[in-house]
Amino acid sequence: VVCLCIFILDFTVKSYLIGWEEFRMNKWLIGYIVVITASVIDWMLSVSMACNENLRVRRLIRPFFLLQNSSLMKKTLKCIKKTLPEIASVILLLALHLCLFTMIGMLIFSKSDDPKKNGEWETYFKNLPKSLSSLLVLLTTANNPDVMIPAYSLNRGYSIFFILFSVFGTYLLMNLMTAIIYNQFRGYLLMSVQTSIIRRRLGIRAAFEVLCCPGRGHTSTQSEVAVNMFLQVMDRVHMKSYCRQAIIKAAQQFPDGFINGEAFQRLFNELDKDFMKEHPPKPEYSSPVLQLIQCIYSHFYITVLGNVVALANVICICTILVLNSEKSASEKNNFYMEILNCIFILYYLIEMLLKIVAFGWRGYLSYRNNIFDGFLTVLLLAIQIAIFITDLVPRHVMALWEMVRLVNMLIVFRFLRIIPEIKLMAVVASTLVDLVKNLRAFAGILLVVYYVFAVLGTWLFQGAITPPSNMSLISDSSTENKTGGPFSMDCGTFEQLEYWPNNFDDFASSLVLLYNIMVVNNWHVFTDAYTRYTTEWSLVYFVAWWLTSSVMWVNLFVALILENFTYKWDRSNALSVEDVERIAYQSTVQLIFREHVQEPTEEELLAQLQQHPHLHLSW
């Protein structure tokens, strides 16, 4: 009720502010009121039934509130919508390929008079639905080579059918789909970025006209903005603080105190950049000892030495783990491992303290690697002290071993400090960071898709598969004929593999099951089980999820990773390892496509300003 009231208030304010004319043209606001109305009606029905009903429509439409509140998600959704026709053409070609080979397969592997030669027909090509599902799974390679073994055992020539199907379907059509999705979606995203750039340039040009000519008529080529007036406005503008400081600093560089139109546009290029923190100066010491420590521990070779020590620590842990791999917790001798951990932790602590002396507190914390190393060092020291205290008092062996194991995991995790020091690894790591930072809209839409399919799966299949109460009474052969039910203990089935936790009994398990199907390994096990326990129409749900997640969304994500990584790699070729981190300063979505974006001309901007309904300028 509280959430719905907030949404109603939000809708009312937005509708009032934009007016009725704009409201009628805004499909998202119209959808907003429809979804709110449906949610309120559904809530009232739930209350009238004392919340005992199982089907709640508002759960399915709830993601709309997430989508309509993010302009970037709306833009991404629009790009996906425009990409769907091209994807649909390849899916149609894929369907024709599947149907063609299904017909050929049913002709080749028809039922024979000799029961010994009916293995392929009985298992995979008994009827049309079974043949389609068998080849659909083969398209994802999840049942390869199982699907051809019965026929291949009779004649090696049968392998040609399955190889041709995989070559044309898996390696040609599926990769062609990836290429089409990459090309088309990239084009629509580029168009979206182009529109965003034009809108920003138009807004900046309008601000320039307002600041330089309040009511005075003159040509735009003679217009200039006073720096003092610009700074007064910037003090009241809402934007990120580091962007404001960078723009103000750039504006103060004009010696004559006036800014022309071209320079005014360039000032706002800082909005495309992320904050790059400058390192504070090193402290100055009069003591020769402190100066020597500062000289040594601010050198790059100390970082290399630290990486070598971290590598040696990991190698020691691996050696001890191999020696103790078959011993239980009570049989393991932790003495040598604790001694080694103490020595390495002591080195990490000394390294941290001497680096603090060399750079100062602020300088030490200005480096991300130092924050990472320092946090883990303090945590390792605290756990090691707890281990010493545990050694002095009666304790349970398992608790001590758990703490030692935690120390070892943190030490292994600390070895990640080596990533920024290797150029290729640094580019890959920064690409992953940029994906998280700049592609949040894709993650949001993927979350919506997961949510909708999980809710649908819970509605359709909740309680459909329940594990037997006594597994010891089940034999290793199929019991379908004995029990009259769908239960099967054949090798590779849902029951034989004990996939019981993979179900739609609740929302969390539904998400895990959908993820397992998206990975496509053994996804035919789930489809087979649910077709046996429910109906063959359940296959429609699973195929729809496979097309949405594995075919379309994974390919979209691969395309965007390629675009981001290619951009970062091209820019990093001329940089050193130390400068790779600075690439992140110019890696927003707009700048990834900057080379392909066309800047609007002065005439185009002025023409749009003259036609703007809310801006009245006299030239």
Side-chain angles (χ1 to χ4, degrees), residues 461-474 479 486-489 494-506 509 529-530 532-533:
F461 308 116
Q462 188 175 28
I465 299 179
T466 55
S469 57
N470 193 348
M471 293 293 294
S472 61
L473 299 179
I474 300 174
T479 59
F487 198 94
S488 174
M489 281 296 289
F494 187 93
E495 297 85 355
Q496 187 270 331
L497 294 171
E498 297 185 359
Y499 278 4
W500 306 111
N502 292 285
N503 55 58
F504 287 100
D505 290 350
D506 55 73
S509 62
Y530 277 94
R532 286 190 284 110
Y533 280 89

Side-chain angles (χ1 to χ4, degrees), residues 338 341-342 345 380-393 395 399-407:
E338 289 186 36
N341 287 344
C342 289
I345 291 173
L380 286 170
L381 182 63
I383 298 175
Q384 196 62 45
I385 292 173
I387 291 175
F388 287 149
I389 296 174
T390 308
D391 281 334
L392 298 177
V393 297
R395 86 281 184 184
L400 177 61
W401 167 241
E402 292 292 340
M403 284 192 289
V404 173
R405 190 164 57 175
L406 178 59
V407 168

Side-chain angles (χ1 to χ4, degrees), residues 514-553:
L514 290 175
Y515 173 78
N516 291 335
I517 296 174
M518 186 180 74
V519 177
V520 303
N521 185 44
N522 270 4
W523 74 294
H524 59 287
V525 175
F526 304 110
T527 59
D528 172 70
Y530 277 94
T531 53
R532 286 190 284 110
Y533 280 89
T534 56
T535 173
E536 290 186 353
W537 287 102
S538 62
L539 190 62
V540 175
Y541 170 86
F542 292 102
V543 172
W545 170 247
W546 171 72
L547 288 173
T548 304
S549 61
S550 183
V551 174
M552 189 179 74
W553 204 259

Side-chain angles (χ1 to χ4, degrees), residues 439-483:
L439 304 178
R440 290 169 293 183
F442 299 94
I445 296 177
L446 182 60
L447 178 66
V448 169
V449 174
Y450 259 96
Y451 177 90
V452 170
F453 271 89
V455 172
L456 282 175
T458 305
W459 287 355
L460 296 172
F461 308 116
Q462 188 175 28
I465 299 179
T466 55
S469 57
N470 193 348
M471 293 293 294
S472 61
L473 299 179
I474 300 174
S475 61
D476 292 335
S477 61
S478 175
T479 59
E480 183 174 356
N481 295 332
K482 298 178 182 179
T483 61

Side-chain angles (χ1 to χ4, degrees), residues 224-231 251-260:
E224 290 182 331
V225 173
V227 173
N228 293 334
M229 180 186 297
F230 176 75
L231 295 179
Q252 292 173 343
Q253 303 299 320
F254 291 90
D256 56 353
F258 290 93
I259 310 172
N260 59 28

Side-chain angles (χ1 to χ4, degrees), residues 204-225:
I204 295 172
R205 193 68 176 82
F208 175 80
E209 293 294 336
V210 170
L211 288 176
C212 73
C213 55
R216 298 197 302 265
H218 56 272
T219 61
S220 59
T221 56
Q222 299 172 347
S223 302
E224 290 182 331
V225 173

